[in-house]
Amino acid sequence: QVQLVESGGGSVQAGGSLRLSCAASGYTYTFSAYSMGWFRLAPGKEREGVAASYTGGANTYYADSVQGRFTVSRDNAKNTLYLQMNSMKPEDTAMYYCAARLGDGYRPLLPYEYNYWGQGTQVTVSS
């Protein structure tokens, strides 16, 4: 059973930076064979796809709201996914989740594409 554990959340002022990590374990195949995504859920809003890294890591995808500010990356040797968040805004405040699926999908930022989910890490950005 795939297990995903997020870390790195916290509180930051607007304009600041945070780096989230997602450590993966329990994979049947190699980590590079899985597409990985970051999602967030804010109170009163629907779950939003933030960024995704398809198998191997060569292809990445971003929501318009974070394009140019967030960077998704993965270290396949360490079975870890990262999300570097810069120039953060109060509207980035949310619980951030890591997700995984075997192989590439068709809609990298849609939650139903993913089978495995972490427990989340809270990110709070103050103005």
Side-chain angles (χ1 to χ4, degrees):
Q1 181 71 17
V2 175
Q3 294 184 332
L4 304 172
V5 180
E6 302 94 337
S7 62
S11 297
V12 64
Q13 289 190 331
S17 298
L18 282 175
R19 188 194 197 200
L20 304 184
S21 298
C22 172
S25 61
Y27 281 91
T28 300
Y29 301 92
T30 61
F31 180 71
S32 62
Y34 291 79
S35 292
M36 304 293 297
W38 286 103
F39 294 81
R40 64 187 181 187
L41 182 61
K45 296 185 178 180
E46 293 186 355
R47 186 166 44 179
E48 175 189 19
V50 175
S53 170
Y54 266 7
T55 58
N59 296 320
T60 57
Y61 306 87
Y62 297 93
D64 290 343
S65 58
V66 306
Q67 182 76 47
R69 299 188 298 120
F70 291 10
T71 302
V72 62
S73 62
R74 61 196 295 166
D75 186 333
N76 292 326
K78 295 183 178 180
N79 295 346
T80 302
L81 180 74
Y82 302 100
L83 184 67
Q84 179 66 45
M85 304 185 292
N86 298 329
S87 303
M88 297 185 72
K89 304 175 181 180
E91 50 263 43
D92 294 322
T93 295
M95 183 73 79
Y96 282 71
Y97 298 89
C98 172
R101 60 157 288 149
L102 181 62
D104 291 338
Y106 297 96
R107 303 289 183 92
L109 297 180
L110 292 186
Y112 66 74
E113 289 267 323
Y114 296 84
N115 309 110
Y116 307 102
W117 292 84
Q119 295 299 308
T121 185
Q122 178 67 38
V123 171
T124 302
V125 185
S126 59
S127 58

